[in-house]
Amino acid sequence: QVQLLESGGGLVQAGGSLRLSCTASGSILNIDRLGWYRRAPGKERELVAGLNNGGTTNLADSVKGRFTISRDVAKNTVDLDMNSLKPEDTAVYYCNVVAQATWGTWYDAWGQGTQVTVSS
């Protein structure tokens, strides 16, 4: 299986910055795509930032120019750098990794979620 461990959430004032990190572990052969999603209270889960194996980045319009997604291939980590945070960025953020295990099975793995709260 593939396990994900997230870190980096917290409380920050509007205009501040946070970095979320996610480390994938397990018998991973390769990773197809990684991403960060979020779910705000009363709203559906939405894609915040995605990164595929070819290096193509996909950012939600609401975070373009403020958030950056990056990965460390050797460490199987994906980070989300969040700048100029706004109260509307408040949500639980989830890491998602689609990875193939050494025995061939593909896994769509999700982290446990980390709370980001932006105060006005």
Side-chain angles (χ1 to χ4, degrees):
Q1 286 191 342
V2 177
Q3 296 86 36
L4 302 181
L5 182 62
E6 302 163 349
S7 62
L11 173 65
V12 65
Q13 287 188 330
S17 299
L18 282 175
R19 166 176 274 201
L20 304 183
S21 294
C22 174
T23 301
S25 62
S27 301
I28 297 172
L29 179 63
N30 67 80
I31 292 176
D32 183 62
R33 60 184 186 269
L34 313 96
W36 286 93
Y37 290 73
R38 67 186 180 188
R39 176 177 281 146
K43 294 189 177 181
E44 303 257 329
R45 185 177 63 192
E46 64 172 347
L47 174 67
V48 177
L51 181 62
N52 67 19
N53 203 28
T56 302
T57 299
N58 181 25
L59 291 170
D61 288 342
S62 60
V63 306
K64 285 180 180 177
R66 301 188 297 123
F67 290 12
T68 304
I69 186 171
S70 60
R71 70 179 287 190
D72 185 321
V73 175
K75 296 181 180 179
N76 283 339
T77 60
V78 56
D79 294 333
L80 183 67
D81 287 296
M82 305 184 293
N83 298 306
S84 302
L85 283 161
K86 304 176 181 179
E88 50 264 43
D89 293 318
T90 296
V92 178
Y93 284 70
Y94 298 90
C95 175
N96 172 247
V97 173
V98 177
Q100 185 181 30
T102 54
W103 50 87
T105 303
W106 283 93
Y107 292 90
D108 186 0
W110 290 87
Q112 78 282 6
T114 185
Q115 177 70 45
V116 171
T117 303
V118 184
S119 62
S120 57

